[in-house]
Amino acid sequence: AQKITQTQPGMFVQEKEAVTLDCTYDTSDQSYGLFWYKQPSSGEMIFLIYQGSYDEQNATEGRYSLNFQKARKSANLVISASQLGDSAMYFCAMREGDNYGQNFVFGPGTRLSVLP
Amino acid sequence: DAGVIQSPRHEVTEMGQEVTLRCKPISGHDYLFWYRQTMMRGLELLIYFNNNVPIDDSGMPEDRFSAKMPNASFSTLKIQPSEPRDSAVYFCASSLDRGVLDTQYFGPGTRLTVL
């Protein structure tokens, strides 16, 4: 079974509007971390935001927020006031477990296109 | 603070040649990871190190691939001999050792083309 599911291969949003990128995950661990990365066309992987499984409040970083719904096992990324520079691939990732050395599992990604 | 540094950024080589990719992690980070990204397979973890020691190399595709980390500030990924199917973007990433909230910071990647 897929550990990370991103059901939207591609999305379009109008500039200045908000957009939600979906991410659902599968784990039986109680302790885990959820992460979002952005990969623009230039290719680098840019860390955006993270959420710990024990965090009660949703994480926010500037225009990025993570809508964390633990019971539904979803960790959606919300980008407010979209900008043209937000056009990129977005990857959701999860790190499970308490053991050191457990590593990230990446989802397949969502390609976001911001329209002027 | 400098991020993860990778070199070269682009590498074009011919089949059968040896290729060496280099990585300098963020100073003070305990973990170093090598990933490969292709359109078909997405991001794949190849190998990772903890305090310079290889921990898990189960993602290394074949014996043609090898990785070393001789010290805390340098790692190499070597492919010998290279094949066209090795063409991909290779990322190095590093992180601190803080459990599940470790954030991996990626280098800019090396785009490898094997002709």
Side-chain angles (χ1 to χ4, degrees):
Chain A
Q2 293 290 330
K3 292 268 188 179
I4 297 284
T5 302
Q6 294 180 255
T7 57
Q8 309 149 314
M11 285 197 69
F12 292 89
V13 65
Q14 209 67 39
E15 193 179 8
K16 299 181 184 178
E17 292 185 349
V19 63
T20 298
L21 306 183
D22 294 342
C23 172
T24 56
Y25 58 92
D26 181 24
T27 181
S28 56
D29 287 346
Q30 296 301 309
S31 179
Y32 52 90
L34 297 155
F35 304 76
W36 278 92
Y37 286 81
K38 171 185 178 181
Q39 187 175 39
S41 58
S42 52
E44 69 268 34
M45 291 284 286
I46 302 168
F47 164 70
L48 295 178
I49 194 168
Y50 74 76
Q51 178 92 36
S53 57
Y54 293 117
D55 294 339
E56 294 185 353
Q57 290 195 334
N58 287 339
T60 59
E61 287 287 346
R63 294 186 300 108
Y64 304 108
S65 60
L66 202 154
N67 184 0
F68 181 47
Q69 298 186 44
K70 195 170 182 177
R72 299 180 63 180
K73 292 188 176 179
S74 73
N76 299 338
L77 177 70
V78 180
I79 305 175
S80 62
S82 298
Q83 301 172 356
L84 295 178
D86 294 333
S87 294
M89 282 289 288
Y90 288 81
F91 293 94
C92 180
M94 175 176 65
R95 174 171 167 160
E96 299 176 272
D98 295 322
N99 297 326
Y100 292 154
Q102 295 294 321
N103 290 292
F104 280 30
V105 177
F106 284 87
T110 295
R111 182 171 298 281
L112 176 67
S113 299
V114 181
L115 306 175
Chain B
D1 220 4
V4 176
I5 299 171
Q6 289 186 249
S7 65
R9 295 292 307 274
H10 302 273
E11 178 80 30
V12 180
T13 190
E14 292 189 346
M15 183 174 64
Q17 297 298 306
E18 177 179 296
V19 175
T20 299
L21 311 181
R22 297 173 176 80
C23 175
K24 177 179 169 55
I26 293 172
S27 177
H29 278 194
D30 307 285
Y31 283 94
L32 183 138
F33 308 84
W34 282 101
Y35 289 88
R36 179 172 68 175
Q37 186 180 36
T38 61
M39 289 293 292
M40 292 297 295
R41 300 173 69 91
L43 268 162
E44 303 174 275
L45 177 67
L46 300 177
I47 184 172
Y48 72 91
F49 297 82
N50 182 19
N51 293 324
N52 314 339
V53 177
I55 302 300
D56 186 349
D57 65 354
S58 59
M60 297 283 260
E62 299 171 33
D63 291 345
R64 299 183 296 105
F65 285 70
S66 63
K68 294 182 180 179
M69 191 166 186
N71 57 61
S73 59
F74 184 65
S75 177
T76 59
L77 177 68
K78 186 176 293 186
I79 309 172
Q80 165 64 17
S82 58
E83 296 183 4
R85 59 190 167 131
D86 302 331
S87 297
V89 179
Y90 291 81
F91 287 103
C92 175
S94 70
S95 74
L96 291 166
D97 191 356
R98 290 182 179 168
V100 294
L101 294 185
D102 280 356
T103 297
Q104 293 189 20
Y105 293 93
F106 284 72
T110 295
R111 184 174 295 276
L112 173 64
T113 303
V114 183
L115 303 174

